């Protein structure tokens, strides 16, 4: 069997999650109607109700997609009994079993009284030709005797397809709820779905989708790309109102049964006319028939000259508008509806209207205030406290006279570092890299370098060497210039170690920053830095606060040595993260490097004031040699995680396919996106997610805990974060059992908050 055929089997379900998969070459018109491909019969048996499928040649059923529900007739049903099927590994479902030719199943049970039992039978199958049918639901009635025994009458099942309104199948529910139903053989995709596109001026495209009668198009399974025109890109399509339907497996979907015209804004970096190729991928289905795999069409376009898109309008053009009420005119590309924003961010009417005069200005101001508060809260986060202790010691040791200069130097280091980290992240995201806050800590080289740095600062505080005092901001005996340099780099260090911590307001501000125009985004990063530096800035600039600083004395040496130990603990934490990233070999390699580093610093301190160039040269060589293990870290393979299915602790490893499978089973799913270097994640796990109340709430909701580890780069987790507009971890999403969108929880969790979210998901 070809790889293409294997890939195409489950497309009727999973292509909704994999919209970029290429369409197969199978001709839908060659497929049998689903009732002929899988002929179902049911009849009473002495020990229950038997079900029989006659499966046409070239077709098969999935075992895990078969279920039966019995209603009425006083029939007490047991668990459906299915024989073993043919085993193989499916590209999307993983290990599966399938049935060919025929299938006999038994629903065990007995009826308390004679009468009619209504069976709701669900199943799904595919054709070897390369297309899958949507999940089928058949309602059939079976006459059963009371307390059926051997020799009793059997009672044949009624003919399929006519007894109840629930018979038939559709991705959108029962046929009575879906307009345009047809029993005709499926059309080739080019006839079933026509597509056209034209340039509607220089700053907008107009797309036209035309489903044939009896076919429908999914709104949210469409992707657009513009190729061959440098400096031109596409904004979010402006879909008109569609028809909302409740889907049995995928929740609420929006579809179009008739021709639909969709304006798409063109974002321009240059105004000149250009030629381009529009590539569109979309998906649709035949009502009561097959679902087509994603279809890709290409249209050559000649775009006339247009106007360059202003920076403040770019984020708005990229934002998908919320659903419009029926009859509402489609908005122009210059004034789209506000984007949907996660629950953990400020209200969308504040953040998303950057182009609406005073409303846009208030949105920016709110984001800047949130950034300032988020940076301020970082001062009490555990990952930042060790470095802030160094700054506090620096102020106390330097005395009141230098407080202002030291505070300004520290603030400069914090601001420039925040701007640098934010600018790099924005630049990489603009080039298509999927990055979020804290991305640098996913690199073992950065983690190892931080361990080196914390260890060196600790050695400096312990008195092993004196050169590094300036780095820690406690430069006793150094010149004024050296002290200010130390304050500056203490600010840099504070920003670097702040990355694993995410304050509540900081998460909201970062969400806004990664979607806002670059100048606004950089202002957000600057305010985050100002918030972090604000306590020390106030001490330096307010004489009354500076006067409260203690006078330098002998107690400073003791305090300085005590503060070395938080730095050693921070280095140990970095080594632990490194072990999670690259295994125990990486930890051993880094430990060797740290020992050599300590030797080099000790040796350099002993000869630094001697007129012995050779000895100083040897010390420098040892210091350089200590960096060799650090450089070698990136060559080590990633640490292999232990294979888990359903772990003993009930936690499942995140994957899009497994999440989809659990949701199709009607499970409430609590998704926890975390990382070993994320301090906020670990705090939530300790305070909430490992508690008995959380476990009881999960059990009451019948929920599954699914965890994604973002310690290392993981494109699937990054895609999940982006889909939920998260700029990093932690991210918590609770998916309801009945389908639909998940609820995004705040960054910092409480047990009542999580319990209420699980109850809502279970009730939906």
């Amino acid at each position: 069997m070809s790889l293409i055929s294997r890939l195409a089997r489950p497309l009727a379900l999973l292509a909704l999650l994999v919209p970029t998969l290429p369409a197969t070459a199978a001709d839908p018109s060659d497929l049998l109607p689903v009732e002929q491909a899988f002929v179902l019969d049911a009849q009473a048996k002495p020990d229950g109700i038997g079900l029989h499928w006659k499966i046409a040649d070239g077709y098969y059923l999935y075992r895990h997609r078969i279920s039966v529900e019995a209603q009425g007739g006083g029939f007490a049903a047991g668990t459906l009994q299915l024989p073993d099927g043919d085993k193989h590994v499916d590209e999307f479902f993983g290990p599966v079993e399938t049935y060919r030719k025929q299938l006999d199943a038994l629903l065990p049970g007995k009826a308390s009284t004679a009468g009619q039992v209504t069976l709701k039978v669900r199943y799904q199958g595919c054709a070897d030709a390369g297309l899958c049918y949507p999940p089928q639901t058949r309602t059939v009635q079976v006459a059963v005797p009371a307390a059926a025994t051997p020799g009793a009458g059997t009672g044949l099942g009624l003919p399929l397809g006519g007894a109840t309104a629930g018979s038939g199948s559709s991705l959108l529910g029962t046929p009575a709820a879906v307009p345009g139903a047809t029993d005709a053989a499926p059309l080739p995709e080019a006839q079933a779905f026509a597509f056209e596109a034209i340039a509607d001026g220089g700053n907008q495209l107009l797309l036209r989708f035309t489903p044939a009668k009896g076919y429908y198009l999914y709104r949210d399974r469409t992707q657009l790309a513009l190729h061959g025109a440098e400096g031109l890109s596409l904004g979010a399509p402006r879909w008109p109102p569609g028809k909302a339907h409740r889907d049995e497996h995928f929740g609420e979907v929006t579809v179009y049964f008739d021709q639909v015209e969709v304006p798409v804004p063109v974002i321009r970096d240059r105004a000149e006319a250009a030629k381009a190729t529009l590539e569109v991928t979309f998906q649709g289905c035949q009502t009561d028939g097959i679902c087509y795999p994603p279809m890709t069409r290409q249209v050559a376009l000649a775009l006339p000259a247009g106007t360059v898109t202003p920076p403040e309008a770019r984020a708005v053009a990229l934002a998908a508008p919320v659903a419009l009420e029926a009859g509402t005119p489609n908005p122009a590309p210059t004034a789209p509806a506000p984007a949907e924003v996660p629950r953990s961010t400020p209200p969308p009417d504040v953040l998303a209207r950057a182009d609406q005069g005073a409303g846009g200005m208030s949105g920016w101001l709110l984001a800047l205030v949130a950034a300032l508060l988020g940076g301020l809260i970082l001062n009490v986060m555990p990952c930042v406290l060790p470095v802030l202790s160094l700054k506090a010691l620096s102020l106390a040791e330097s005395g009141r006279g230098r407080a202002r200069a030291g505070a300004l130097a520290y603030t400069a280091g914090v601001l420039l570092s925040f701007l640098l980290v934010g600018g790099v992240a924005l630049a990489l995201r603009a080039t298509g890299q999927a990055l979020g806050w804290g991305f640098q800590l996913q690199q073992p080289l950065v983690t190892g370098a931080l361990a080196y740095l914390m260890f060196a600062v600790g050695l400096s505080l312990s008195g092993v060497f004196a050169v590094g005092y300036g780095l820690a901001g406690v430069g006793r005996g150094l010149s004024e210039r050296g002290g200010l340099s130390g304050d500056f780099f203490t600010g840099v260090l504070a920003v670097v170690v702040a990355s694993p911590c995410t304050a509540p307001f900081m998460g909201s501000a970062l969400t806004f920053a990664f979607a806002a125009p670059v100048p606004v985004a950089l202002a957000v990063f600057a305010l985050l830095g100002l918030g972090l530096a604000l306590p020390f800035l106030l001490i330096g600039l307010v004489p009354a606060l500076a006067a409260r600083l203690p006078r330098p004395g002998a107690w400073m040496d003791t305090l300085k040595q005590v503060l070395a130990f938080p730095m050693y603990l921070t280095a140990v934490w970095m080594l632990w993260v490194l072990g999670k990233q690259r295994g125990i070999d990486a930890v051993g390699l880094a430990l060797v490097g740290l020992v050599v580093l300590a030797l080099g610093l000790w040796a350099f301190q002993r000869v630094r004031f001697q007129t012995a160039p050779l000895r100083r040269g040897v010390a420098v060589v040892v210091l350089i040699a200590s960096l060799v293990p650090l450089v070698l870290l990136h060559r080590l393979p990633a640490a292999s995680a232990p294979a888990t299915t359903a772990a003993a602790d009930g936690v499942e490893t995140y994957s899009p396919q497994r999440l989809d499978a659990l949701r199709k089973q009607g499970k409430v799913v609590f998704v926890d996106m975390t990382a070993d270097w994320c301090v906020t994640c670990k705090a939530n796990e300790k305070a909430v997610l490992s508690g008995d109340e959380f476990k009881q709430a999960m059990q009451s909701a019948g929920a599954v805990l699914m965890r994604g580890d973002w310690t290392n780069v993981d494109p699937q987790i990054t895609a999940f974060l982006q889909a939920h507009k998260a700029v990093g971890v932690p991210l918590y999403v609770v998916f309801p059992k009945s389908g639909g969108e998940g609820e995004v929880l705040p960054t910092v969790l409480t047990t009542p908050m999580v319990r209420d979210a699980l109850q809502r998901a279970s009730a939906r």
Side-chain angles (χ1 to χ4, degrees):
M1 183 180 297
S2 69
L3 176 61
I4 294 179
S5 297
R6 293 175 63 197
L7 286 173
R9 289 178 180 175
L11 279 175
L13 288 174
L14 294 169
L16 296 175
L17 299 178
V18 194
T20 58
L21 194 66
T24 66
D27 187 351
S29 62
D30 294 336
L31 293 181
L32 293 173
V34 66
E35 294 81 2
Q36 298 179 26
F38 311 104
V39 182
L40 172 63
D41 186 21
Q43 61 181 11
K45 289 183 175 292
D47 51 354
I49 299 176
L51 297 99
H52 174 79
W53 281 269
K54 181 180 179 182
I55 305 172
D57 291 340
Y59 297 79
Y60 57 91
L61 287 174
Y62 283 110
R63 176 176 180 171
H64 71 287
R65 302 299 296 171
I66 299 174
S67 65
V68 180
E69 178 184 349
Q71 299 174 344
F75 185 79
T79 303
L80 181 66
Q81 298 177 4
L82 292 166
D84 294 336
D86 297 328
K87 298 181 179 180
H88 75 279
V89 178
D90 189 273
E91 292 294 331
F92 293 106
F93 285 125
V96 297
E97 296 182 30
T98 58
Y99 303 106
R100 295 179 180 271
K101 303 295 185 183
Q102 64 178 12
L103 168 62
D104 288 292
L106 176 67
L107 183 67
K110 293 184 179 180
S112 58
T113 59
Q116 298 286 337
V117 176
T118 300
L119 299 181
K120 182 175 287 187
V121 186
R122 296 183 177 91
Y123 57 94
Q124 187 191 10
C126 300
D128 290 336
L131 288 174
C132 287
Y133 296 91
Q136 305 295 307
T137 300
R138 291 288 184 269
T139 302
V140 60
Q141 294 181 337
V142 179
V144 296
T149 58
T154 58
L156 297 179
L158 297 179
L160 296 176
T164 70
S167 62
S169 69
S170 172
L171 280 175
L172 303 177
T174 61
V178 179
T182 178
D183 295 327
L187 297 170
E189 66 174 46
Q191 299 179 27
F193 302 95
F195 173 73
E196 305 166 85
I198 60 172
D200 186 14
N203 288 82
Q204 180 172 278
L205 302 182
L206 186 63
L207 316 184
R208 178 181 294 162
F209 298 88
T210 308
K213 184 177 181 180
Y215 293 77
Y216 58 88
L217 176 76
Y218 286 101
R219 182 190 67 185
D220 298 326
R221 309 302 172 189
T222 304
Q223 286 190 337
L224 303 172
L226 195 65
H227 302 293
E230 184 178 356
L232 276 65
S233 59
L234 298 179
R238 310 301 177 191
W239 292 91
K243 293 186 179 297
H245 287 279
R246 174 68 185 169
D247 185 278
E248 179 181 359
H249 298 278
F250 303 109
E252 300 295 332
V253 294
T254 300
V255 298
Y256 299 93
F257 289 92
D258 302 312
Q259 184 181 88
V260 57
E261 293 186 350
V262 185
V264 180
V266 176
I267 301 174
R268 284 182 169 268
D269 292 330
R270 59 189 184 91
E272 297 82 6
K275 293 185 177 180
T277 299
L278 173 67
E279 183 176 271
V280 57
T281 300
F282 57 92
Q283 187 185 11
C285 299
Q286 180 191 28
T287 305
D288 270 356
I290 66 166
C291 277
Y292 291 73
M295 297 160 273
T296 298
R297 309 281 174 82
Q298 291 184 337
V299 178
L301 298 171
L303 282 79
T307 57
V308 175
T309 307
E312 63 272 11
R314 291 177 182 268
V316 178
L318 290 170
V322 297
L324 301 175
E325 298 294 335
T328 302
N330 197 50
T334 56
E340 183 178 353
V341 179
R343 294 175 181 265
S344 59
T345 63
D349 61 340
V350 176
L351 289 187
R353 298 179 181 175
D355 66 328
Q356 296 182 6
M361 183 61 67
S362 64
W364 293 359
L365 291 176
L366 182 60
L368 295 177
V369 171
L372 183 67
L373 292 175
L376 190 62
I377 293 175
L378 279 177
N379 285 279
V380 297
M381 301 300 282
C383 54
V384 187
L385 282 176
V387 176
L388 297 187
S389 300
L390 299 180
K391 180 57 187 169
L393 180 61
S394 171
L395 285 175
E397 191 173 28
S398 60
R400 305 169 188 172
R402 209 181 60 84
R404 175 179 296 183
L408 291 174
Y410 171 78
T411 301
V414 171
L415 291 178
L416 290 178
S417 299
F418 256 109
L419 289 173
L420 179 61
V421 174
V424 169
L426 291 172
L428 291 176
R429 285 172 69 95
T431 62
Q433 301 293 323
L435 298 176
W437 185 249
F439 70 94
Q440 68 273 22
L441 290 173
Q442 293 179 327
Q443 308 303 321
L445 183 60
V446 175
T447 306
L450 283 175
Y452 270 55
L453 182 57
M454 297 300 176
F455 186 65
V457 172
L459 292 176
S460 172
L461 293 171
S462 296
V464 174
F465 76 107
V467 177
Y469 285 1
L471 175 64
V474 291
R476 168 178 289 187
L478 296 179
S479 65
E480 184 72 5
R481 179 178 179 182
L484 293 179
S485 175
D487 289 324
F488 178 87
F489 284 106
T490 303
V492 173
L493 187 60
V495 174
V496 173
V497 299
S499 297
C501 291
T502 304
F505 292 103
M506 182 180 174
S508 301
L510 287 172
T511 300
F512 178 85
F514 278 109
V518 172
V520 180
L522 292 179
V524 170
F525 284 109
L527 265 293
L528 283 168
L530 182 60
L532 177 60
L534 189 58
F536 296 105
L537 189 61
L538 291 176
I539 291 174
L541 298 182
V542 180
L545 295 176
R548 295 180 179 271
L549 292 176
R551 295 182 180 276
W555 63 273
M556 300 299 300
D557 285 336
T558 301
L559 178 60
K560 179 177 61 179
Q561 294 174 19
V562 169
L563 289 179
F565 295 96
M567 308 311 297
Y568 294 140
L569 288 176
T570 306
V572 170
W573 172 46
M574 288 290 107
L575 290 176
W576 177 74
V577 174
L578 183 62
K580 292 287 188 176
Q581 293 174 329
R582 287 296 185 270
I584 192 63
D585 289 345
V587 176
L589 193 62
L591 286 173
V592 170
L594 291 178
V595 172
V596 178
L597 176 65
L599 174 63
L601 292 174
W602 171 79
F604 188 83
Q605 176 66 22
R606 289 179 62 86
V607 301
R608 58 178 303 195
F609 298 116
Q610 299 179 9
T611 56
L614 181 59
R615 292 182 180 181
R616 286 201 298 271
V618 171
V620 171
V621 170
V622 174
L623 287 174
I624 295 175
S626 70
L627 301 178
V628 174
L630 186 62
V631 175
L632 295 177
L633 286 177
H634 75 282
R635 297 187 179 181
L636 295 176
S640 57
T644 58
T645 51
D649 58 0
V651 180
E652 297 215 21
T653 302
Y654 171 78
S655 73
Q657 295 80 15
R658 182 58 181 158
L659 175 60
D660 180 52
L662 289 172
R663 300 201 66 195
K664 290 171 185 171
Q665 296 172 16
K667 297 285 189 181
V668 174
V669 184
F670 186 100
V671 176
D672 170 17
M673 291 302 181
T674 182
D676 288 323
W677 42 259
C678 172
V679 176
T680 309
C681 304
K682 298 303 178 184
N684 285 332
E685 291 172 17
K686 181 67 175 177
V688 177
L689 302 183
S690 61
D692 292 336
E693 291 186 60
F694 173 74
K695 295 176 182 178
Q696 292 172 2
M698 291 285 290
Q699 185 175 4
S700 299
V704 176
L705 177 59
M706 177 170 282
R707 182 164 291 153
D709 189 351
W710 207 46
T711 303
N712 293 303
V713 177
D714 189 319
Q716 290 186 333
I717 294 178
T718 304
F720 185 89
L721 296 176
Q722 289 186 317
H724 292 84
K725 300 181 177 66
V727 297
V729 291
L731 172 65
Y732 307 103
V733 185
V734 181
F735 290 96
K737 66 179 182 180
S738 57
E741 295 298 323
E743 178 182 354
V744 178
L745 301 185
T747 301
V748 178
L749 298 179
T750 64
T751 299
M753 173 198 305
V754 175
R755 183 178 60 245
D756 293 345
L758 289 170
Q759 290 175 352
R760 288 191 295 270
S762 178
R764 281 171 62 185

